[in-house]
Amino acid sequence: MTLNRTYGQKPFSSAASLREFPRTATSRGIHVAPKTPMRNYEISALRPDGKVDTHQEVAPAMPLFESACSAFARGTVIATPMGDIVVEDLQPGDMVNTSTGEPATLVWIGSSSFVPGDAGRRTPLIRIMSDTFGQGRPASFLTVGPSARILHTPHHLRSEAGEKRLLTPVREFLDGVNVIEVVPPTPVRMFHFCLDRHAAESAGGIEKETFHPGAQATRSLPIAVRDRFLGFFPHIDHVTDFGPLAHPRAPDHVLQAQAV
């Protein structure tokens, strides 16, 4: 039984409809474009009765889906009111410290194993060396996904941001020394999670963003893919249900370049 059936939400699109990828027109007629690679995801969510529902999903290996499950590598330490807990030991219903000083309830966890060259393409991760953003930030090196954001304003935006701290994609800090791309030789289990409100929480001494796809994330998706993505989140009916951002986001130059 899927989560959104358990929660009484609209059913997921069928597996057949998910494989109806865009068709391309040629002089000889209509041809089916190459299929999008698929990936296995594990979803754990807090049910209204307080119990935890965990199951596997197979969905497209698209950036939107992957970003929901790839912010923290296994072993990343998360700050909670009960002390530091490694991300793989967190459970929906646990409390997590946030940058506001007020803990929030963890309601959803997504995870997947990422393998170099998996899904037909290279999947680099990003490693942040210890003390990159100040002493103890992070306390030891961290491995994160390419879409992870940290609460740290880059130098070139500080005059524009003023006193506001921005959630900035980690890849904006790539320098080949302190923040580098890595392609581990073995599979890496990656995690991401949602709290009952969007926030920045402490991961290994760095304030990192909890998952939020962004208000426009699903706008250009086919309906079947959009519904499949929203079906990952039993507490979400529409992308606006993720709520407001806790902090403003810095521009994502990679996405901007792809849009040109």
Side-chain angles (χ1 to χ4, degrees), residues 224-237:
V225 178
R226 180 201 65 195
D227 290 348
R228 183 58 168 159
F229 173 72
L230 294 179
F232 268 30
F233 306 91
H235 60 298
I236 297 297
D237 290 316

Side-chain angles (χ1 to χ4, degrees), residues 24-31:
T24 56
T26 70
S27 59
R28 296 184 178 180
I30 303 296
H31 299 278

Side-chain angles (χ1 to χ4, degrees), residues 140-162:
S140 60
F141 76 80
L142 289 178
T143 301
V144 304
S147 61
R149 291 175 181 262
I150 63 173
L151 191 58
H152 189 87
T153 305
H155 289 286
H156 67 281
L157 291 178
R158 287 183 179 174
S159 59
E160 179 181 336

